[in-house]
Amino acid sequence: MNLNESKNCERTKLEQFLNKVQLPHWYKKIGIVILILSFITLLILKFINDVPLWFGIGLKHLMLIALLLISLSREKVEDEMIETLRSKSYALAFIIGVGYSLLQTIANYFVDLFLGRYDFSNDLGHIQVLLFMLLIQVGFFELLKRTR
Amino acid sequence: MENRIKIERAIINITQDELAQRIGVSRQTINSIEANRYVPSTVLALKLSQIFNKSVNEFFILTEKD
């Protein structure tokens, strides 16, 4: 068995598929620019009245797309260690994301109870959870890369 | 698991960067392998074996903890 054959043996079809899904490295820069611009616009919107609701939601979706671009873009040197670190960061983001949605719901419940509001319908939006998970993934991936 | 990558690299007199380029990984990956922070795949171990012209067991050594 030569090296290429053993490489194909070692990598599952899922891994090979995931490698195809990744974007070129320069998408990361586009993602960062879109993320910063949409974040600044969202901050400015907080101080402006009479802004259509769809605009704010649209900006949050744009942030989500920007984070996805950053998350899916390749590194300059994409080797097996980077793949391992990326997998770890996705696993961490998933676990922390689930923990966040559970704890945040409980925290909201107690805050509502403390403030005397008894509707308890304060549910987390999917955009908030997804933004949090992607932020954790991107953050942990960078952290793991720097401390490797 | 311990390894003798740093020693083997010194024997053939190449830098981390040169070794990284030869086996198609980043210099940081070589650094992590040498520092025992990362255990490479079989493919990478075999590539190292080709470069050092030695069998994998000669530079990756199992310890009692393994």
Side-chain angles (χ1 to χ4, degrees):
Chain A
M1 188 186 277
N2 65 28
L3 267 179
N4 277 336
E5 283 172 342
S6 42
K7 196 173 182 178
N8 287 334
C9 270
E10 206 161 75
R11 293 189 173 193
T12 60
K13 281 184 180 171
L14 181 67
E15 277 179 280
Q16 287 167 7
F17 169 74
L18 284 173
N19 283 342
K20 283 177 192 165
V21 175
Q22 285 183 331
L23 301 165
H25 180 65
W26 53 271
Y27 272 84
K28 188 177 238 176
K29 286 173 188 165
I30 295 173
I32 291 169
V33 171
I34 297 172
L35 184 68
I36 292 168
L37 288 178
S38 49
F39 181 71
I40 292 169
T41 319
L42 260 178
L43 276 182
I44 294 167
L45 285 187
K46 293 274 177 196
F47 301 102
I48 301 171
N49 294 326
D50 298 332
V51 178
L53 187 68
W54 62 264
F55 192 63
I57 296 170
L59 278 174
K60 283 179 185 167
H61 276 92
L62 203 61
M63 279 177 79
L64 210 57
I65 293 166
L67 279 167
L68 195 64
L69 287 181
I70 297 170
S71 178
L72 290 179
S73 59
R74 287 175 185 275
E75 288 304 301
K76 277 179 188 162
V77 181
E78 188 77 24
D79 60 16
E80 61 171 57
M81 193 181 181
I82 287 289
E83 284 171 23
T84 311
L85 297 181
R86 189 176 279 118
S87 305
K88 280 182 187 172
S89 68
Y90 278 119
L92 274 168
F94 177 75
I95 294 164
I96 295 172
V98 173
Y100 166 77
S101 13
L102 288 173
L103 288 176
Q104 190 67 30
T105 313
I106 295 166
N108 285 348
Y109 173 80
F110 283 110
V111 169
D112 283 349
L113 207 65
F114 181 72
L115 295 174
R117 293 187 305 214
Y118 297 102
D119 57 342
F120 305 132
S121 56
N122 204 352
D123 205 7
L124 284 175
H126 70 282
I127 301 176
Q128 190 183 340
V129 176
L130 289 174
L131 275 175
F132 180 79
M133 284 171 96
L134 276 169
L135 271 173
I136 291 288
Q137 190 274 320
V138 170
F140 264 109
F141 181 55
E142 287 301 317
L143 186 75
L144 288 170
K145 247 173 34 183
R146 280 161 212 271
T147 55
R148 67 181 150 163
Chain B
M1 191 164 74
E2 290 170 356
N3 71 70
R4 287 168 41 89
I5 307 279
K6 199 173 182 176
I7 299 162
E8 298 298 337
R9 190 167 55 76
I11 292 169
I12 58 169
N13 197 25
I14 56 167
T15 62
Q16 282 187 344
D17 206 28
E18 284 169 330
L19 181 60
Q21 279 175 13
R22 284 203 205 175
I23 61 172
V25 295
S26 66
R27 191 194 57 77
Q28 288 92 333
T29 300
I30 298 295
N31 188 38
S32 299
I33 295 170
E34 283 187 2
N36 260 329
R37 288 194 301 270
Y38 177 67
V39 179
S41 68
T42 317
V43 175
L44 215 57
L46 290 172
K47 282 183 182 178
L48 287 168
S49 166
Q50 277 184 343
I51 303 279
F52 299 143
N53 208 17
K54 285 183 178 175
S55 71
V56 177
N57 306 37
E58 288 179 68
F59 52 90
F60 283 114
I61 306 119
L62 286 172
T63 57
E64 285 194 0
K65 287 179 189 171
D66 298 309

